[in-house]
């Protein structure tokens, strides 16, 4: 008959080692599960909104053109309404400048009409037009994440 070695609390060395092994296994299992949860969650991050304020309609008198420099968007106002055209060249992404015929890209010479159609240079497609909408408080927004067909305007009421 074997004789168990017990301490003063009555826990044998075998019991202690068994508990220690169980504790180590439990901690390891929890760590592995926590690590694997990282793979269950998709690595998808919410994209930053591309919507930005452009102020009130009275800030855009008929015939005005404003460039939102930090957003690379031109805001035009004509007799019908407002419209937003991207200032980003569709060739390689340089910033276009207004010209007598519309827009000119300084990088490789692409030329666009006032509506953004390509009339020269390597640009593969027209400049993008973006959605403009008005909130209930009258503030106008451009959403450069939403393109609209060329000619789409936010109509004056
Ligand atoms: S980036 Fe505009 S023409 Fe090349």
């Amino acid at each position: 008959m074997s004789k168990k070695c017990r301490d003063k609390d009555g826990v044998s060395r075998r019991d202690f080692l068994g508990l220690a092994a169980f504790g180590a296994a439990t901690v390891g299992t929890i760590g592995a599960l926590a690590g694997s949860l990282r793979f269950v969650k998709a690595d998808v991050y919410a994209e930053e909104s591309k919507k930005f304020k452009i102020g009130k309609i009275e800030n855009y008198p008929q015939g005005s053109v404003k460039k939102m420099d930090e957003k690379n968007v031109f805001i035009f106002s004509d007799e019908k309404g407002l419209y937003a055209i991207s200032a980003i060249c569709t060739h390689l992404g340089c910033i276009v400048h207004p010209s007598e015929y519309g827009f000119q890209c300084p990088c490789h010479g692409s030329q666009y009409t006032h509506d953004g159609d390509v009339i020269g240079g390597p640009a593969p497609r027209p400049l993008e037009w973006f959605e403009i909408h008005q909130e209930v408080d009258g503030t106008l927004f451009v959403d450069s994440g939403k393109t609209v067909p060329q000619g789409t305007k936010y109509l004056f009421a």
Side-chain angles (χ1 to χ4, degrees):
M1 175 175 263
S2 71
K3 189 176 174 185
K4 287 189 175 178
C5 180
R6 298 189 182 272
D7 68 5
K8 62 183 180 196
D9 296 328
V11 177
S12 72
R13 178 183 295 185
R14 179 174 286 174
D15 291 343
F16 174 76
L17 291 175
L19 284 173
F22 178 74
T26 302
V27 169
T29 302
I30 290 171
L33 284 174
S36 65
L37 287 178
R38 179 182 180 279
F39 298 108
V40 172
K41 185 179 165 219
D43 278 341
V44 176
Y45 300 98
E47 189 174 312
E48 186 179 325
S49 173
K50 294 185 174 180
K51 190 171 138 180
F52 58 92
K53 278 185 194 176
I54 60 169
K56 304 278 185 183
I57 209 158
E58 50 271 18
N59 298 336
Y60 298 91
Q62 187 177 321
S64 67
V65 180
K66 287 189 180 180
K67 181 164 181 258
M68 314 304 281
D69 282 325
E70 67 284 355
K71 302 296 182 183
N72 294 318
V73 172
F74 290 100
I75 311 293
F76 293 86
S77 174
D78 67 12
E79 68 282 351
K80 291 184 180 165
L82 294 178
Y83 54 102
I85 299 180
S86 172
I88 299 173
C89 180
T90 59
H91 179 224
L92 293 177
C94 289
I95 304 305
V96 300
H97 303 296
S99 69
E100 69 273 7
Y101 46 79
F103 304 96
Q104 166 81 40
C105 181
C107 294
H108 311 103
S110 286
Q111 299 170 321
Y112 302 87
T113 65
H114 292 281
D115 287 338
D117 283 327
V118 179
I119 53 175
R125 52 185 190 283
L127 296 174
E128 294 180 317
W129 286 49
F130 299 128
E131 180 184 274
I132 297 179
H133 72 273
Q134 189 174 35
E135 297 286 321
V136 287
D137 68 352
T139 305
L140 294 164
F141 286 84
V142 170
D143 190 344
S144 61
K146 288 185 183 173
T147 57
V148 294
Q150 188 184 75
T152 303
K153 297 179 182 178
Y154 177 78
L155 302 177
F156 295 134

